[in-house]
Amino acid sequence: MTNLLLLAGVFVFSFGLGYFLISRIPPLLHTPLMSMTNAISAVTILGVLILFSVGSTPAEQAMGGVAVIMAAFNLVGGFAITDRMLNMFKNKGEGGQEP
C-alpha cells in the first residue's frame, strides 16, 4: 500500500511540475517539446515490455497494458501533429505548387 501511495505522489508531483514547466514555454518551442515527449513515450513502452518479460501480477499487467495504450496514443498522435506542424513551415515554392 505504501508503494502505491508513493507512486501516486510521484505521479501528482510530476503532473504539477510538468504543467508548471509547459505553461511557461513559448509556443515556438512546443514542436521540440512534443518530440521529446514522443521519446519519453517510447521509453515508457520499453519499460512496460521489460515489465512484461518478468513475472508480474495481473494488476501490474493491467497497469502495464494501460501504460502501453496511453504511450502508444501519445506517440502516434505526437508524430502526426509534429508532421503537420512541420508541413506548415515548408516553403510553398517547393514542388512547383506556388512560386
Side-chain angles (χ1 to χ4, degrees), residues 18-33 36:
Y19 181 79
F20 175 76
L21 291 175
I22 290 174
S23 65
R24 283 163 174 63
I25 291 178
L28 288 175
L29 297 177
H30 283 185
T31 301
L33 184 65
M36 187 180 73

Side-chain angles (χ1 to χ4, degrees), residues 31-54:
T31 301
L33 184 65
M34 288 174 44
S35 298
M36 187 180 73
T37 58
N38 289 343
I40 292 172
S41 294
V43 171
T44 302
I45 290 173
L46 288 176
V48 170
L49 292 177
I50 291 172
L51 175 70
F52 285 159
S53 69
V54 297

Side-chain angles (χ1 to χ4, degrees), residues 3-93:
N3 287 339
L4 185 61
L5 289 175
L6 178 65
L7 292 175
V10 168
F11 176 75
V12 169
F13 176 74
S14 301
F15 180 82
L17 181 64
Y19 181 79
F20 175 76
L21 291 175
I22 290 174
S23 65
R24 283 163 174 63
I25 291 178
L28 288 175
L29 297 177
H30 283 185
T31 301
L33 184 65
M34 288 174 44
S35 298
M36 187 180 73
T37 58
N38 289 343
I40 292 172
S41 294
V43 171
T44 302
I45 290 173
L46 288 176
V48 170
L49 292 177
I50 291 172
L51 175 70
F52 285 159
S53 69
V54 297
S56 55
T57 65
E60 292 170 342
Q61 291 176 351
M63 287 191 293
V66 170
V68 163
I69 291 170
M70 293 174 69
F73 180 77
N74 187 32
L75 193 69
V76 172
F79 276 118
I81 291 173
T82 301
D83 184 54
R84 186 174 177 185
M85 290 177 75
L86 290 176
N87 283 337
M88 292 170 56
F89 293 109
K90 280 187 177 176
N91 188 0
K92 300 266 184 193

